[in-house]
Amino acid sequence: IRSVSRAVPAFFFRPSGFYRSRQNTTTRTHVRVDCVAMAGWDEGNIFYSDQRYLAEEEEEETYTRNQAKRKFVEFIRSYQDHSEGSDALDVYVYRDQLSRQKNKLYVDLEDVKAFDEDLCELLKRSPVIYLPLFEAAASEVYASLQNKNAEGEEPETQEVQVFLESQTQFGPASLRELSSEHIARLVRISGIVIAASKTKSKATHMTIMCRNCNNTKVIPCSAGFGSTQLPRRCDLLHTENQSERCPLDPFVVLPDRSKYVDMQTLKLQENPEDVPTGEMPRSMMLSIDRHMVQRIVPGTRVTLVGIFSIFQQNNKRGGGAVAIRQPYIRVVGLEEHVEGNARAAPTFTYEEEQEFREFADSPDVLEKVFSKVAPSIYGHPDVKRAVACLLFGGSRKILPDGVRLRGDINVLLLGDPSTAKSQFLKFVEKTAPIAVYTSGKGSSAAGLTASVIRDPQNGEFYLEGGAMVLADGGVVCIDEFDKMRPEDRVAIHEAMEQQTISIAKAGITTVLNSRAAVLAAANPPSGRYDDLQTAKENIDLQSTILSRFDLIFIVKDERNFDRDVQIARHVVGVHQKATEEHGAFDKRRAADESFMKRFIEYARSRCTPRLSEAAARILQDEYVRIRQEIKKSAEQSGGQPPVPITVRQLEAIVRISESLARMSLKSVANEAHVREALRMFRVSTIDAARSGVTEGIVFTPEQRQEMVNVEAQIKRRLPVGSYMSTKNLLREMGRLGLSEPSVRRCLIFLSQQGDVDFRRERRVVYRSH
């Protein structure tokens, strides 16, 4: 008997363990040892365990691991699909799937829940424990389904990867809602993949060998980004001849005898439409392995089921807090969205479909759709029609030789400031199911297309998609399009026509999808649209980029008394309604926006119209006539039109006709749709090509007198056959009290008449007559 002279709880030891007694004492405590003395237990220490707290903290599991594995085996073998409502269906879903795919098994969590709800909860709560049991059960079932070979031997056991899927949301709905309570649990998250690394080899079982005694052992490695610690001591029992023990840290890794699987790292970002206004989009690292690698490219929208995990990030500088871990998601199920839609499979209720079809069957459906486009903007009826066509889009086509024809419509708005160009862009960003808004001045070529970035951890290069890639399947709104640098504008040529982005940088050669419509707004070089300049001077863009726009609108701020009164009344009325009827106005507007967004999504997913024979003949004749008109006008003016009319414009009219048919949910675009598309093309692109200085300019008497005075001064200063720099001429005319805009206007007018010519990129003026 051993005595301890201090106030401690009383203990007694038994062969099966040691327990704490209920009574406490503040005097001398006696400890009685009933078991055989063990090494290290007679050093004056007290060993005990508090059973009360352990009983409260431990939760009783529904199944042990062996029971759970047997349940998984039973589920794979016996689960039948009764989704058709007939009990006679003798279809063993997962057993048949395993027989066909051998090393892959796609499991719906709803089926597991229908089979055993407790088993499904265990899988969601502790996937790190129960998912390997699920895969072991799948391998066992697959082995039992195989026949014996010719020698009568059992078939080899093959590893099976289990993919978990779920159509219903569970856990956090977005990346922003992930918190510490979700660690080591199953989550379902949607987002867009913006970066993908190269494929690496991840060890699942490492073979290590002792350098001293050549003892080999196999240690398992944790999945994902988790690392494995090598044992520091060799556990081989030495004989008497080997009296010396193995030294500390004796093990080395044998790479050629270890087991590996393919592994890839992805970067998931929130969907652009889910990011709150004014906040940066959140991102999360993903770890995928085995059969999921090399399936996803940047720009793909996915819904994944994975295990929210943490790992210790290696810091090259050696610092960092030990207790802080970096979060990531180990993906166990991945579903790729089709055609870049906001949802993988758009679902509509029966009531919604009836409402959409009744709306489409109304005789004035086109006018109703146009009236819902930017109702707070006064006027611009043709621009609203073009924006509606852009939102609905035409039909994508794949030719027999594999060539893809785009169905998205690109629109350019060019004109004066304060003509609601940016408001149209903001409306499209808010209404389109997928939209990305960017400004031309703050956008680079890499930011619009894709960039190659070096990983700071391992120094490898990976690809990160830009705005055109993120908007795959939607709309890209580019404001201040004219402020972009020319080399940045050239980068989106391929994305606007072929709808792909080719990358060949830093050893990465790939092609990304960019199936997006482009809505761009721009100002003329002088800030305002000048009627005394030619169209080529007002539209200061290359013909290569202009030909990729289906519709080009010249938006002018016309000074008309009656129109100004109507605009003022409309703007003031909008402000009054927003102030007085705040609640009702917002609710009605939100309902219209929601209906418009859902109707656009329904039309794009359920309707793919084509041209009728009669409509195709009308379109052919009109296209030839337009080409002849442009040719005659070019011959008369002696120059090329600023907006080329090519086969791309013919395809543009086809797409506009299909979008008009899609608004009424019709599968065939008829003659009326083609005539409306031709009218829109004439009032937009054709008018833009013909805009500018004409021979019949009419001046007011004051303007005519000012023009005569400026012309006389220019001709007095610039004799026939002489040169002078434009800068010096403007400076000398300014000394005479003439304004610079008047002098520039007069020079343009004289150049149209043939009296003066501009040389050296308009920096020198030459007097010819």
Side-chain angles (χ1 to χ4, degrees), residues 647-661:
V647 180
R648 284 178 177 166
Q649 278 60 48
L650 175 61
E651 293 180 340
I653 302 173
V654 173
R655 285 189 287 269
I656 297 168
S657 306
E658 293 172 348
S659 67
L660 292 171

Side-chain angles (χ1 to χ4, degrees), residues 282-302:
R282 302 280 177 87
S283 59
M284 179 74 67
M285 298 302 294
L286 306 180
S287 169
I288 59 175
D289 55 11
R290 292 179 280 182
H291 299 288
M292 285 188 285
V293 299
Q294 302 289 1
R295 277 181 48 195
I296 303 298
V297 296
T300 306
R301 291 174 179 256
V302 297

Side-chain angles (χ1 to χ4, degrees), residues 411-463:
V411 178
L412 173 65
L413 307 179
L414 187 139
D416 297 336
S418 184
T419 49
K421 298 189 301 294
S422 298
Q423 292 298 321
F424 278 115
L425 268 63
K426 285 294 184 183
F427 170 80
V428 170
E429 182 203 10
K430 193 168 48 179
T431 307
I434 300 171
V436 173
Y437 183 93
T438 181
S439 177
K441 191 64 177 176
S443 302
S444 63
L448 285 173
T449 55
S451 57
V452 177
I453 298 177
R454 184 189 292 271
D455 190 352
Q457 298 300 321
N458 50 26
E460 292 184 355
F461 292 98
Y462 65 91
L463 209 57

Side-chain angles (χ1 to χ4, degrees), residues 577-612:
K577 290 179 182 179
T579 306
E580 295 176 1
E581 304 174 6
H582 186 272
F585 185 72
D586 280 351
K587 289 180 181 177
R588 185 169 64 252
R589 184 175 59 185
D592 287 345
E593 289 176 358
S594 176
F595 175 83
M596 189 75 172
K597 182 177 289 189
R598 292 289 284 170
F599 183 62
I600 291 170
E601 192 174 2
Y602 181 81
R604 289 176 71 103
S605 61
R606 303 295 173 88
C607 186
T608 54
R610 294 290 188 271
L611 281 178
S612 65

Side-chain angles (χ1 to χ4, degrees), residues 380 383 412-422 424-425 479-483 520-531 535 537-541 546 552-559 688 691:
H380 302 304
V383 177
L412 173 65
L413 307 179
L414 187 139
D416 297 336
S418 184
T419 49
K421 298 189 301 294
S422 298
F424 278 115
L425 268 63
D479 205 356
E480 307 293 345
F481 192 66
D482 57 305
K483 308 299 190 300
N523 296 111
S526 60
R528 300 186 65 87
Y529 196 88
D530 195 344
D531 289 326
E537 293 163 345
N538 278 314
I539 308 174
D540 190 23
L541 296 173
L546 290 176
I552 301 173
F553 284 91
I554 304 297
V555 187
K556 298 180 183 178
D557 184 13
E558 298 177 354
R559 294 166 179 82
S691 64

